[in-house]
Every structure is written in C-alpha cells, then in structure tokens.
C-alpha cells in the first residue's frame, strides 16, 4: 500500500489546557524539523490529532525513521485519506485496504467514528457496514469484537481517515517543552545515553567536553562531535563547548595527592560545566554517572563531586547496570561510536589506586595546594573554550 500520510499518536496525560497547546505546537515543530531531508510534508494539528501529509515523493522507511526521533510521539499510524464520503465507495476502500495490508488476518474489528454528522449512518452502523465489505473482500476473515488481530479504524471527519497499523514512537515529551540542561559529554557510552534520556523529557541540550591536548587526540575530540551529532538527531542542535583542560589537569597532577586526582579533576570539570550552563540559561547539569561503576562513582565520591554544584545535577543512568545503558546506546545508535578506542582525558591521569571513599574535608585541604594558580587556570580554560554548533548528522 502506498501511504501519503501519517496520523500521530501522543500520550495525553498531563497535557491539558494551555500545556496541551504548547505540547502540540512543540510536537509539530519537531516533526517539521525531523522531516528535513526526507521530503516535503505538511504537518497540521486538527481536533486533538497531528497529521503529516507528504506533498510529493518520499521514502516510507526514511519518514518513519525520522518520526521515531521525535520525542512525544507514542505511535505512528500510516493512514489513507479519502475525500469521498459515499458509503459504498468507503466500503470498497476498506475492503481493498484490508486485502492488501492484512491478506492473512484471521480476525478483525472495525472502530468507526463519525464526527461529520451529515453522513446517514451513526458510528455503530458505519462500523457494521464497513465490516460487511471487509468480510466480502478478505477470504476466511472473521469478526472478533473482543480480541481482534486487526483493528481497522475508519474516521469520518473533514475527510475520511483509514488506518490499522501503529508503529511505536519514542514516547517522552517534545523537545522545547521543558527548558534546557548542560550535558557533560565524554567519548564514553554513558553520557550520550544520559543526554538522550533527559532530552526525552522535552529538555533541550547543550554540552561540554573536556579535552587535554596533546594527551588526548583530535580523533578523540572528533568522536565526541560525532556523538553530539547522533544525540542531536533526537535533541535538536547542540552548542558543544570544547574546553582545553590540560593545564588544570597538569596542575592537579603536580600539586595534589595522586589517589585523589580523579575526584579533584571531576570537581573542576563540574564547576566549568556549570559556568557554561549558567551562561546558556541551562537549569541543570547532566552526567552519565552510575553508582559504583568506577572509583569516582562510589556514592561517597559522587557526593563530593556534587558538592561544588549549585545547579541540580541529573544523573539518569544512576541506577542502571552497564548492560542496560549499552542497550539504550545501541537503540539510539551511539554505541558503535562510543566504543571507538580513542582515549579521553580521564584515562591519561588516572591513579593506580584512586580513593573510593573520599573525604570532603581532606579533598578540600588538598585543593588548597592549587590556590595560587587555579583562578587563572580556570579563567584561561573558560576564555579559550571553543563553541561548536552541532546539527544532527
Ligand atoms: P561515559 O562512559 O559516560 O562517558 P565513564 O563511564 O567513562 O563515562 P567517567 O569517566 O567517570 O565515566 O565519567 C563520568 C561522567 O562524567 C560521564 O558520564 C560524563 O558525564 C562526565 N565526564 C567524564 N569525562 C568527561 C569529559 N572528558 N568531558 C565531559 N564530561 C566528562
Ligand atoms: Mg568516560
């Protein structure tokens, strides 16, 4: 069957009144954005529904793949749209549709809605009438009102809409309905997933990456840019802040106890990320941390890292096992990029035996060794930061 349109289903919980209007507008905007490069589509809202109609040739699979990147969509229904409301004509269309789309179906039920009161049948009668045409058209098919294999929906509104298939969407809330947050994006598996999870709740994303040239390579940086592009497919364009962290890292390495290197380094990373977060009107920070994954992510050390932040820090992977994070990374197509073997800046300066139960007062005392230099180093790192506008790949 050659479809030219999609009916979009979205969860309606919590989106009443003004919120609903905002939600639907954001959804329409993100759908238009997602269709760029797929083809020409008109996207419109109509009585509690959103439709996308192709204005020319397009590839069906590409269009569905694009819609699967739009948060807020729970179901993508390829729909036939017809202008002719004549009952006999519609019956024939329903019969042909079922024969082509579900030739082997054993059971079905018609769900009819008649919003246009000018047609002579009520909803029940319309369903029964269309069911009759389907029984005639598809050999061996039966009606099952309790547990039908195929649910055929026929809606008579301004036009007639016929559909039976619901392709799952990503769920969540449309981007732009929930402010903006700053993602600490490394080249690893977890942080792109963390960004995706928060974006899924409608939050726009910016990102900060810390590199340490020449200890980390251009290719490690390119990998992070590539990951940002992949997250941007869902989250929209990302302002990626690339911070040169080398001098800060060297100073910590030179002046602080080596078993505390990672924690101290993480604290300065968070401070700098928070600086850019505030500059970009972000209301929170995001990291890919997960309790106990590595030494710096014991609950003690997470608390110590957190202590420097004024903004809330979202850690959506916090209770997840690595495999659960990997499963999402595969689903959103960041995994293959994340496992490319380029070192990131944490791995160069890691101690052999990092503390797992850091002590805040001890860490603060150790940081005092940086008092003479750290303000200037932070200022220099912030001033030399490169900001890249990363669009979806
Ligand atoms: P991931 O795999 O998520 O990238 P990880 O398992 O390598 O993280 P860590 O290196 O301890 O774990 O980092 C924990 C979190 O700190 C990351 O998820 C990320 O949010 C942030 N982070 C770590 N390194 C960097 C970096 N170089 N630039 C920006 N953020 C970083
Ligand atoms: Mg990492």
């Amino acid at each position: 069957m050659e479809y030219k349109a999609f009916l979009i289903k979205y969860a309606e919980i919590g989106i009443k009144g003004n919120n609903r209007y905002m939600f639907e507008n954001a959804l329409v905007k993100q759908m238009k954005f997602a269709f760029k490069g797929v083809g020409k589509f008109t996207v419109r809202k109509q009585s509690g529904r959103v439709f996308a109609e192709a204005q020319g040739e397009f590839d069906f699979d590409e269009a569905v793949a694009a819609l699967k990147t739009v948060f807020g969509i729970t179901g993508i229904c390829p729909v036939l749209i017809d202008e002719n409301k004549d009952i006999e004509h519609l019956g024939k269309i329903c019969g042909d549709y079922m024969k082509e789309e579900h030739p082997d179906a054993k059971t079905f039920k018609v769900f009819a809605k008649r919003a246009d009161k000018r047609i002579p049948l009520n909803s029940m009668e319309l369903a029964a009438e269309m069911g009759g045409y389907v029984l005639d058209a598809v050999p061996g098919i039966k009606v099952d009102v309790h547990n039908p294999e195929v649910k055929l929906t026929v809606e008579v509104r301004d036009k007639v809409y016929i559909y039976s298939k619901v392709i799952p969407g990503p769920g969540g809330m449309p981007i732009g309905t929930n402010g903006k947050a700053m993602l600490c994006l490394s080249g690893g598996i977890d942080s792109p997933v963390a960004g995706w999870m928060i974006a899924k709740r409608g939050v726009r994303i910016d990102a900060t990456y810390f590199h340490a040239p020449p200890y980390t390579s251009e290719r490690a940086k390119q990998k992070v840019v590539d990951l940002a592009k992949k997250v941007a497919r869902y989250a929209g364009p990302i302002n990626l802040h690339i911070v040169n962290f080398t001098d800060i890292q060297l100073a910590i390495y030179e002046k602080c106890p080596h078993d505390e290197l990672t924690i101290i380094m993480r604290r300065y990373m968070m401070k700098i990320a928070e600086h850019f977060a505030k500059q970009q009107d972000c209301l929170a920070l995001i990291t890919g941390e997960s309790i106990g994954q590595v030494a710096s992510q014991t609950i003690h050390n997470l608390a110590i890292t957190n202590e420097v932040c004024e903004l809330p820090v979202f850690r959506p992977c916090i209770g997840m096992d690595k495999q659960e994070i990997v499963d999402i990374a595969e689903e959103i197509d960041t995994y293959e990029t994340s496992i490319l073997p380029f070192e990131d800046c944490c791995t160069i300066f890691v101690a052999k035996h990092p503390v797992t139960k850091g002590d805040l007062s001890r860490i603060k005392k150790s940081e005092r060794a940086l008092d003479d230099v750290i303000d200037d180093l932070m200022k220099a790192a912030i001033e030399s930061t490169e900001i890249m506008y990363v669009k979806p790949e």
Side-chain angles (χ1 to χ4, degrees), residues 185 223-233 238 240 390:
L185 181 62
K223 175 178 159 181
V224 174
V225 174
D226 292 344
L227 285 171
K229 282 184 191 168
K230 295 207 179 245
V231 175
R233 285 188 64 200
I238 292 172
L240 175 61
V390 181

Side-chain angles (χ1 to χ4, degrees), residues 233-337:
R233 285 188 64 200
Y234 295 89
I238 292 172
N239 290 305
L240 175 61
H241 299 65
I242 301 171
V243 183
N244 185 331
F245 203 56
T246 310
D247 290 343
I248 294 176
Q249 226 164 353
L250 287 172
I252 299 171
Y253 194 72
E254 193 184 309
K255 294 174 192 286
C256 300
H258 281 194
D259 60 349
E260 293 172 353
L261 283 183
T262 312
I263 304 181
I264 294 174
M265 190 188 76
R266 303 268 315 123
R267 282 162 59 89
Y268 285 106
M269 278 187 179
M270 295 306 275
K271 278 189 202 180
I272 294 175
E274 187 170 75
H275 168 88
F276 290 118
K278 288 178 177 170
Q279 199 175 67
Q280 297 280 356
D281 295 326
C282 295
L283 298 173
L285 297 164
I286 306 166
T287 75
E289 289 158 315
S290 157
I291 294 175
Q293 196 188 74
V294 288
S296 62
Q297 294 173 35
T298 61
I299 194 164
H300 307 81
N301 291 352
L302 284 170
I304 294 172
T305 307
N306 204 73
E307 195 261 347
V308 297
C309 302
E310 286 170 19
L311 293 177
V313 183
F314 297 154
R315 300 178 171 91
C317 301
I318 198 74
M320 293 166 78
D321 294 344
K322 193 73 189 188
Q323 188 57 48
E324 292 173 292
I325 302 171
V326 166
D327 289 346
I328 297 180
E330 285 180 330
E331 185 191 316
I332 65 172
D333 192 33
T334 53
Y335 183 71
E336 291 299 322
T337 308

Side-chain angles (χ1 to χ4, degrees), residues 118-283:
R118 285 171 305 182
I119 72 157
L121 305 178
N122 68 26
S123 295
M124 293 268 287
E125 292 164 343
L126 181 63
E129 189 74 14
M130 293 303 114
Y133 280 95
V134 173
L135 289 169
D136 288 343
V138 185
I141 201 164
K142 289 194 177 67
V143 175
D144 181 344
V145 290
H146 300 298
N147 195 16
E149 191 182 325
V150 178
K151 295 176 181 173
L152 176 67
T153 303
V154 181
E155 297 184 3
V156 184
R157 299 173 179 273
D158 59 325
K159 297 175 187 169
V160 186
Y161 300 88
I162 298 169
Y163 62 92
S164 64
K165 294 187 172 173
V166 187
I167 302 163
M173 312 276 280
I175 294 291
T177 54
N178 243 321
K180 191 158 75 162
M182 178 62 78
L183 169 65
C184 294
L185 181 62
S186 72
I189 296 167
D190 309 327
S191 46
V193 169
W196 179 86
M197 287 175 77
I198 297 301
K200 187 171 182 227
R201 300 307 302 164
V203 179
R204 234 177 255 294
I205 300 287
D206 276 338
T208 304
Y209 166 59
F210 297 89
H211 70 154
Y215 303 97
T216 60
S217 63
E218 264 308 296
R219 289 171 78 191
K221 171 177 155 186
Q222 186 56 43
K223 175 178 159 181
V224 174
V225 174
D226 292 344
L227 285 171
K229 282 184 191 168
K230 295 207 179 245
V231 175
R233 285 188 64 200
Y234 295 89
I238 292 172
N239 290 305
L240 175 61
H241 299 65
I242 301 171
V243 183
N244 185 331
F245 203 56
T246 310
D247 290 343
I248 294 176
Q249 226 164 353
L250 287 172
I252 299 171
Y253 194 72
E254 193 184 309
K255 294 174 192 286
C256 300
H258 281 194
D259 60 349
E260 293 172 353
L261 283 183
T262 312
I263 304 181
I264 294 174
M265 190 188 76
R266 303 268 315 123
R267 282 162 59 89
Y268 285 106
M269 278 187 179
M270 295 306 275
K271 278 189 202 180
I272 294 175
E274 187 170 75
H275 168 88
F276 290 118
K278 288 178 177 170
Q279 199 175 67
Q280 297 280 356
D281 295 326
C282 295
L283 298 173

